[in-house]
Amino acid sequence: MNEAANIYPSDKRAMQEVSALLEREGIRLDRNLDYTCAIRDDEGHIIATGSMYENTLRCFAVDHRHRGEGLLNRVISHLMEKELERGNLDLFLYTKVASARFFHDLGFYEIARVPERLVFMENQPDGFRHCLSRFERETQAFLTERGLTLGKDDPIAAIVMNANPFTKGHAHLVAQASRENKLVHIFLLSEDVSLVPYAARKELVERGIADFGNVVLHASGPYIISNATFPSYFLPDDDTASVGHAELDLTLFAKIAEALSIRRRYVGEEPFSQVTGLYNKVMREKLPELGVECRVIPRLAIAGRAVSASDVRQCVKDGDWQHLQELVPEATYDWFRSDAAAPVRARIAAADRVRHH
């Protein structure tokens, strides 16, 4: 029997074997992967497999005829060695509920679970708690700086946004939340998987919310709509997977909301993106069950069409500066016309698809 070895995406036959093994074990091959390994038997058949994407481990399976032989241990050890070579020390995985105990024995700790669907785990016992502590410190520093005090019954809200880039639609959503609440938390997705990089998105959001005295900005970290918690947000996926990922992401958000006394989450209507629309649907159903009100706000419309970041990126791609100016705040427009944005303009121009699926 061979050791775990890399399976290259170009090896179509081997990847078909991996996919078939996963399907036999009731697991779907995730299309968001950047490394896959497998163990073969003496006849060359794949009998165990596992994959990863960045610092998340996923898609594990062992042929039922070879269970009890320690194969999954070997697959996980191989993947963790590869992660270490990449410099990734903080690792995440999601797995079937029935497998959670096994991964706990390998040094992974449960963060959250969707009953009968999946369990989200990490290899740091205090990773999620440290993230909550950061949100709490940032909030207290903001309140102190602004001279704000919160009463027990003061309404506190949250908005989660990618802002790829920040549009007049985002500003409209923030303005409504700001009017209706004592404090608003914005969680800006901090993974660099968007056409507009995080540093630029953060700068544009900061400029866009500068006039609101009760809006605090946080980098989301790995626990809010990340490739670990909700990979189907970033890649076309089937609805079943998207629902499971959305439920996991919202379960984690409810824990964050509890720590920060958030009782409302604001979201714009989604007429364009299938995945985001499905996420919003799950959010409307699940958040109230978790003690958080979900407020869906009609999208800001200009010339009869809802404003979207996808349209903004299309304007940049097409060089349609006049329409772009109608859709974004002055700070966003000025940035896109600046020399600093030249690499981003080139990236958007070269992209095959600039609209979110």
Side-chain angles (χ1 to χ4, degrees), residues 66-169:
H66 292 272
R67 287 180 182 162
E69 299 176 14
L71 299 184
L72 190 53
N73 252 333
R74 290 160 59 184
V75 166
I76 297 298
S77 295
H78 176 84
L79 293 176
M80 292 181 73
E81 287 177 8
K82 293 300 178 183
E83 291 282 20
L84 186 61
E85 290 175 8
R86 293 179 173 186
N88 293 331
L89 302 179
D90 299 334
L91 306 181
F92 301 90
L93 65 83
Y94 51 88
T95 185
K96 295 191 296 185
V97 173
S99 304
R101 182 179 295 274
F102 171 82
F103 287 107
H104 178 74
D105 291 342
L106 291 182
F108 285 84
Y109 301 86
E110 179 175 334
I111 310 170
R113 69 170 57 200
V114 178
E116 300 181 6
R117 280 186 182 268
L118 51 87
V119 177
F120 184 52
M121 311 181 79
E122 64 179 333
N123 68 335
Q124 303 295 332
D126 298 320
F128 185 55
R129 183 177 61 79
H130 288 322
C131 184
L132 292 180
S133 296
R134 173 172 66 82
F135 292 153
E136 291 168 343
R137 289 195 305 272
E138 290 169 350
T139 302
Q140 188 55 54
F142 177 84
L143 294 173
T144 300
E145 177 187 341
R146 299 300 173 98
L148 296 175
T149 56
L150 295 177
K152 179 182 178 182
D153 297 322
D154 283 336
I156 300 174
I159 301 172
V160 176
M161 63 173 65
N162 196 22
N164 181 34
F166 191 76
T167 70
K168 289 181 178 177

Side-chain angles (χ1 to χ4, degrees), residues 4 7 26 36 69 137 180 196 203 223 228 238 263 272 282 284 286 291 301 318 333 352:
I7 301 294
T36 295
E69 299 176 14
R137 289 195 305 272
E180 297 176 353
V196 182
E203 177 184 345
Y223 303 100
D238 63 66
R263 290 296 174 261
F272 304 117
V282 177
R284 289 194 301 270
K286 189 170 182 65
D318 297 340
Y333 178 81
D352 293 330

Side-chain angles (χ1 to χ4, degrees), residues 4-7 18 35-39 46 48-51 74-75 78-79:
N6 185 15
I7 301 294
V18 166
Y35 186 89
T36 295
C37 72
I39 296 175
I46 290 176
T49 185
S51 299
R74 290 160 59 184
V75 166
H78 176 84
L79 293 176

